[in-house]
Amino acid sequence: GVAPATAPPVPRVAVGIFGLAYRNLAATLPDLERHVFGVLDVALLQYDVFVHAMLVTSEPVGAPGGGAMLDAPAWVRAANGTVSTPLDPYSLVLLRPCVFEVEDQELARAAIERRQAALGKQMPDLWHDNYRSMRNYLVALHSLGRLADLVRAREASALGGLVYDAVLVLRADTVFLCPVDLPTRLPTILADEAAR
């Protein structure tokens, strides 16, 4: 007899979201749904959402007199005339993560600064803001690293083994203006053994 044909396995994607995952989520979630999750759904890809978020309960939106901070977006100024925007750390559940971790940004920053003190002060202050941007950059790298740890832990803990074919890393506070191209690039990624 002839063995029945089996369908190739459906690629599995880890969608990783890092940083201040709830900063502008009310404004960006519709675009994430349409241009990321909707695209993956239409392509019939299996995916799991992972979130590493830094806990910040309010965020300065503009320093008095301009300072070194960016002005708040118009929708924030219209909705909130104060100098800080209240943030809801629980809004990240709208992303439907299978695994998430919320870390206090100030505690993470203090630990990073202790570990990176020599590195941070040896580098020039490229943004000319008394290393504020450098500290934020290091916190973002820390969040990316923790996100990678969450994905690896999920793979290692799955019964029978679980391997993600691709990891799509995003910031939820970014507006997506067009669909992600992962479904069209996935065959190339899957064929690249060096990338595995």
Side-chain angles (χ1 to χ4, degrees):
V2 175
T6 58
V10 175
R12 190 164 195 98
V13 176
V15 178
I17 298 171
F18 76 100
L20 296 174
Y22 44 83
R23 176 185 277 163
N24 291 335
L25 198 52
T28 61
L29 188 59
D31 290 322
L32 275 166
E33 292 284 354
R34 179 175 43 250
H35 294 309
V36 178
F37 302 129
V39 170
L40 300 178
D41 289 337
V42 168
L44 302 177
L45 296 176
Q46 294 180 19
Y47 62 92
D48 295 317
V49 178
F50 296 80
V51 176
H52 181 269
M54 302 311 288
L55 176 64
V56 177
T57 56
S58 69
E59 166 177 50
V61 295
M69 305 186 86
L70 298 174
D71 286 335
W75 66 271
V76 170
R77 289 192 307 269
N80 182 347
T82 66
V83 295
S84 66
T85 302
L87 300 174
D88 178 7
Y90 301 105
S91 68
L92 66 88
V93 299
L94 297 172
L95 299 167
R96 299 178 306 278
C98 68
V99 176
F100 70 91
E101 178 178 287
V102 179
E103 186 173 358
D104 185 296
Q105 179 170 288
E106 290 310 311
L107 293 177
R109 183 176 282 153
I112 291 165
E113 287 179 2
R114 282 192 303 273
R115 285 192 314 263
Q116 302 290 336
L119 173 66
K121 298 305 178 187
Q122 289 175 358
M123 297 179 71
D125 184 7
L126 299 175
W127 290 276
H128 307 290
D129 62 357
N130 197 27
Y131 292 93
R132 181 176 162 264
S133 293
M134 179 61 74
R135 287 189 295 273
N136 289 341
Y137 176 67
L138 292 173
V139 168
L141 290 179
H142 170 79
S143 187
L144 278 168
R146 289 297 306 138
L147 183 62
D149 293 341
L150 295 175
V151 172
R152 280 193 221 90
R154 172 79 178 209
E155 286 180 322
S157 69
L159 293 175
L162 169 65
V163 176
Y164 290 101
D165 297 297
V167 179
L168 181 61
V169 179
L170 311 167
R171 287 187 55 125
D173 62 350
T174 302
V175 174
F176 290 86
L177 301 175
C178 61
V180 295
D181 61 354
L182 180 63
T184 58
R185 292 181 180 268
L186 197 54
T188 304
I189 294 168
L190 294 173
D192 185 359
E193 289 298 321
R196 295 183 167 273

